Coordinates of all heavy atoms in Angstrom, one line a residue:
G66 N -14.4 18.5 -9.8 CA -14.2 17.1 -10.3 C -12.9 16.5 -9.7 O -12.4 15.5 -10.2
L67 N -12.3 17.1 -8.7 CA -11.1 16.5 -8.1 C -11.6 15.6 -6.9 O -12.3 16.1 -6.0 CB -10.2 17.5 -7.5 CG -9.5 18.4 -8.5 CD1 -8.7 19.5 -7.8 CD2 -8.6 17.6 -9.5
K68 N -11.4 14.3 -7.0 CA -12.0 13.4 -6.0 C -11.0 13.2 -4.8 O -9.8 13.0 -5.0 CB -12.2 12.0 -6.7 CG -13.3 12.1 -7.7 CD -14.1 10.8 -7.7 CE -15.4 10.9 -8.5 NZ -15.2 11.5 -9.8
F69 N -11.6 13.3 -3.6 CA -10.9 13.0 -2.4 C -11.0 11.6 -2.0 O -12.0 10.9 -2.3 CB -11.4 13.9 -1.3 CG -11.0 15.4 -1.5 CD1 -11.8 16.2 -2.3 CD2 -9.8 15.9 -1.0 CE1 -11.4 17.6 -2.5 CE2 -9.5 17.2 -1.2 CZ -10.2 18.0 -1.9
D70 N -10.1 11.1 -1.3 CA -10.1 9.7 -0.8 C -10.7 9.7 0.7 O -11.2 8.7 1.1 CB -8.8 9.0 -0.9 CG -8.3 9.0 -2.3 OD1 -8.8 8.2 -3.1 OD2 -7.4 9.8 -2.6
E71 N -10.4 10.8 1.4 CA -10.9 10.9 2.8 C -11.3 12.3 3.0 O -10.8 13.2 2.4 CB -9.8 10.5 3.8 CG -9.3 9.1 3.7 CD -8.0 8.9 4.5 OE1 -7.7 9.6 5.5 OE2 -7.2 8.0 4.1
G72 N -12.2 12.5 3.9 CA -12.6 13.9 4.3 C -13.9 13.9 5.1 O -14.5 12.8 5.3
P73 N -14.3 15.0 5.5 CA -15.5 15.1 6.4 C -16.8 14.6 5.6 O -17.7 14.1 6.3 CB -15.7 16.6 6.7 CG -14.8 17.3 5.7 CD -13.8 16.4 5.3
H74 N -16.8 14.7 4.3 CA -18.0 14.3 3.6 C -17.9 12.8 3.2 O -19.0 12.3 2.7 CB -18.1 15.1 2.3 CG -16.9 15.2 1.4 ND1 -15.6 15.3 2.0 CD2 -16.7 15.1 0.1 CE1 -14.7 15.3 1.0 NE2 -15.3 15.2 -0.2
I75 N -16.8 12.1 3.3 CA -16.7 10.7 2.9 C -16.2 9.8 4.0 O -16.2 8.6 3.9 CB -15.9 10.5 1.6 CG1 -14.7 11.5 1.6 CG2 -16.7 10.6 0.4 CD1 -13.8 11.3 0.4
G76 N -15.6 10.4 5.0 CA -15.1 9.6 6.2 C -13.7 9.1 5.8 O -13.0 9.6 4.9
G77 N -13.2 8.1 6.6 CA -11.9 7.6 6.5 C -11.3 7.2 7.8 O -12.0 7.5 8.9
D78 N -10.2 6.6 7.8 CA -9.6 6.0 9.1 C -8.9 7.1 10.0 O -8.4 6.7 11.0 CB -8.6 4.9 8.7 CG -9.3 3.7 8.1 OD1 -10.5 3.7 8.2 OD2 -8.6 3.0 7.4
F79 N -8.7 8.3 9.5 CA -7.9 9.2 10.2 C -8.7 10.4 10.7 O -8.2 11.5 11.0 CB -6.7 9.7 9.3 CG -5.8 8.7 9.0 CD1 -6.0 7.8 7.9 CD2 -4.6 8.6 9.7 CE1 -5.1 6.8 7.6 CE2 -3.6 7.6 9.3 CZ -3.9 6.7 8.3
G80 N -10.0 10.3 10.8 CA -10.9 11.4 11.2 C -10.8 11.7 12.7 O -10.1 11.0 13.4
P81 N -11.6 12.7 13.2 CA -12.4 13.6 12.4 C -11.6 14.5 11.5 O -10.4 14.8 11.8 CB -13.1 14.4 13.4 CG -12.6 14.0 14.8 CD -11.6 12.9 14.6
Y82 N -12.2 14.9 10.4 CA -11.4 15.7 9.4 C -11.8 17.2 9.5 O -11.5 18.0 8.6 CB -11.7 15.2 8.0 CG -11.2 13.8 7.8 CD1 -12.0 12.7 8.0 CD2 -9.9 13.6 7.4 CE1 -11.5 11.4 7.8 CE2 -9.3 12.3 7.2 CZ -10.2 11.2 7.4 OH -9.6 10.0 7.3
I83 N -12.5 17.5 10.6 CA -12.8 18.9 10.9 C -12.1 19.3 12.1 O -12.3 18.7 13.2 CB -14.3 19.2 11.0 CG1 -15.0 18.8 9.6 CG2 -14.6 20.6 11.4 CD1 -16.5 19.0 9.6
Q84 N -11.2 20.3 12.1 CA -10.3 20.6 13.3 C -11.1 20.9 14.6 O -10.7 20.5 15.6 CB -9.3 21.7 12.9 CG -8.3 21.2 12.0 CD -7.1 22.1 11.8 OE1 -7.3 23.3 11.8 NE2 -5.9 21.6 11.5

Side-chain angles (χ1 to χ4, degrees):
L67 294 175
K68 291 217 167 51
F69 287 87
D70 300 289
E71 295 167 30
H74 53 319
I75 35 180
D78 295 340
F79 295 79
Y82 295 93
I83 298 184
Q84 286 188 329

